[in-house]
Amino acid sequence: MISAEQELQKSGINVICPINTINVNEIATYVSHLLCSKFPDFNLNYNDMFARISKMNMYIADMPSGMSDACYFYRNENLYFRKGLSFDEIKRLSFHEIVHHFQEVKDSNGVLHKLGLCTYLKVKSYGLALNEASVQLMSSFANDEKLDTVTYYGITFPTNSPSYYPLLCNLVKQIGYLTGFSTLFESTFFSNNAFFEKFKFLFGEKSAFKIQQNFDKLLYIEEKIINLNNKIQTKDMSYMKFKNATDTISKYKNQIKKTFLDTQNLILTSYFDARASEIKTANEIYEFRKILYSYSNLIGTADNYTFFNDYYINKMVEIDQKYEAIIEHKDSLVVVKKSKLSIILNALKKIFTSGNVEYQDSRNL
């Protein structure tokens, strides 16, 4: 096995200088405060957090183009920040990387077995992208990042992280809204199985694993695009090589768009189909309508994308029919039947009203 130093060099990270103790302590103060104040359900001790973080080695380094501006290296438990960042930016980025430090589950030989929502089996990882997205969503929440609407790869979507994993953060926020953010964040930080068990229960095991795989696929394709862009920018290419590279990038971009929308559709249908089939009371119908309606504020859209609109209308018709069947059995209620057309028009009126989805759990699902 190669040493940590050799692996670091292989990654293209070259240390310039250590961050001084005063600044390390300021980073430790900043991250410890955010962890304890923004995630009170974790029951963390500020002094313990500060002591652990302040003992970490942190460095300014030259880092390859395309790599994140900050990197936690689990082999030596050190933090590296790209040369040229302001100290405020270093503090903001440090939250994400320090969460990785607390996520680690290693064996007695120092071999990493689990990192939040990611599991390592020999040389293969499962759930790496899902974990990165959840950590970044935690970081955006902790740092009070504002919601923004962006367009990447022909998809327009809301995100709290427009610069780091924006597509993945949008999708994991969709999932967290349905599972509960507290469960998502707790499992991310403490590397337990509570989130994934709930994920499988609510979405179905097959869908949960497919969604996880699609996250990893999106991350993999984006890395391919970054590598090709780096080659185009740093190497002299013949016209044919340049054209092949740009054509491949275009193909990858289309794959990202398709995979994102397919994943979004699977999140939508696997959850709401299961919940609709379980409805037995008028109150459950009201709750279902509210959740599906609010979900429309989270989704990504693209030219000719009509899946959500069609699904929303069909589900409103379906559950309205269930509602009529339920109240027909209550003699004390006067049944007022709606036509299918009136249901559709009412659904269309509501479907894209703007609104915000908060991180706090308001439901017990």
Side-chain angles (χ1 to χ4, degrees), residues 20-254:
N20 65 55
T21 302
I22 292 174
N23 285 341
V24 169
N25 286 342
E26 188 173 340
I27 290 169
T29 299
Y30 178 77
V31 175
S32 299
H33 170 71
L34 289 182
L35 283 170
C36 294
S37 61
K38 294 290 189 176
F39 305 97
D41 292 346
F42 289 3
N43 295 315
L44 300 173
N45 180 281
Y46 174 86
N47 292 330
D48 290 344
M49 294 296 101
F50 178 86
R52 285 187 62 177
I53 297 168
S54 62
K55 292 175 183 176
M56 296 178 70
N57 296 317
M58 304 184 191
Y59 298 94
I60 302 298
D62 279 321
M63 300 166 73
S65 178
M67 180 178 277
S68 297
D69 289 333
C71 174
Y72 174 70
F73 198 62
Y74 90 91
R75 289 282 303 278
N76 57 18
E77 300 184 358
N78 291 345
L79 273 175
Y80 302 91
F81 298 93
R82 187 183 299 280
K83 177 182 69 175
L85 296 174
S86 69
F87 187 61
D88 283 343
E89 185 70 2
I90 286 174
K91 284 200 301 184
R92 189 177 69 82
L93 292 172
S94 68
F95 184 92
H96 181 117
E97 306 308 326
I98 288 169
V99 168
H100 282 326
H101 176 63
F102 287 109
Q103 289 182 311
E104 289 181 335
V105 178
K106 298 177 180 177
D107 65 17
S108 57
N109 296 317
V111 177
L112 188 64
H113 285 286
K114 198 163 175 59
L115 192 73
L117 306 179
C118 178
T119 301
Y120 292 86
L121 297 176
K122 296 183 179 179
V123 295
K124 191 165 177 61
S125 64
Y126 300 89
L128 177 63
L130 186 62
N131 184 62
E132 284 293 340
S134 186
V135 173
Q136 184 55 35
L137 192 63
M138 285 180 65
S139 179
S140 297
F141 171 56
N143 285 295
D144 293 321
E145 301 288 345
K146 302 303 181 186
L147 188 68
D148 194 8
T149 300
V150 297
T151 301
Y152 291 110
Y153 307 110
I155 311 160
T156 300
F157 56 96
T159 181
N160 296 86
S161 181
S163 301
Y164 299 97
Y165 306 113
L167 287 167
L168 295 175
C169 283
N170 172 273
L171 290 173
V172 82
K173 189 174 181 181
Q174 292 185 36
I175 295 169
Y177 169 67
L178 300 173
T179 63
F181 291 104
S182 61
T183 304
L184 174 66
F185 291 160
E186 181 185 328
S187 285
T188 299
F189 189 81
F190 292 106
S191 298
N192 64 43
N193 295 324
F195 163 75
F196 209 76
E197 291 304 314
K198 192 170 187 179
F199 189 30
K200 290 189 294 183
F201 175 75
L202 293 175
F203 292 76
E205 186 169 337
K206 183 178 178 181
S207 293
F209 280 113
K210 179 62 176 174
I211 292 165
Q212 181 193 64
Q213 289 169 3
N214 281 359
F215 268 71
D216 286 334
K217 181 179 179 181
L218 284 168
L219 184 61
Y220 175 77
I221 298 172
E222 283 206 281
E223 287 174 350
K224 289 285 191 183
I225 291 175
I226 290 169
N227 290 335
L228 281 171
N229 276 327
N230 285 341
K231 285 183 179 180
I232 290 172
Q233 293 168 12
T234 60
K235 293 185 178 181
D236 290 329
M237 288 185 171
S238 66
Y239 171 76
M240 284 308 300
K241 285 186 177 180
F242 175 82
K243 186 177 185 307
N244 287 338
T246 54
D247 287 348
T248 302
I249 288 172
S250 180
K251 181 187 72 174
Y252 283 150
K253 287 181 177 180
N254 289 333

Side-chain angles (χ1 to χ4, degrees), residues 283-298:
N283 283 340
E284 288 173 347
I285 286 177
Y286 172 77
E287 185 71 7
F288 182 94
R289 283 173 173 158
K290 184 174 69 172
I291 296 168
L292 181 55
Y293 170 59
S294 296
Y295 188 83
S296 66
N297 298 313
L298 297 170

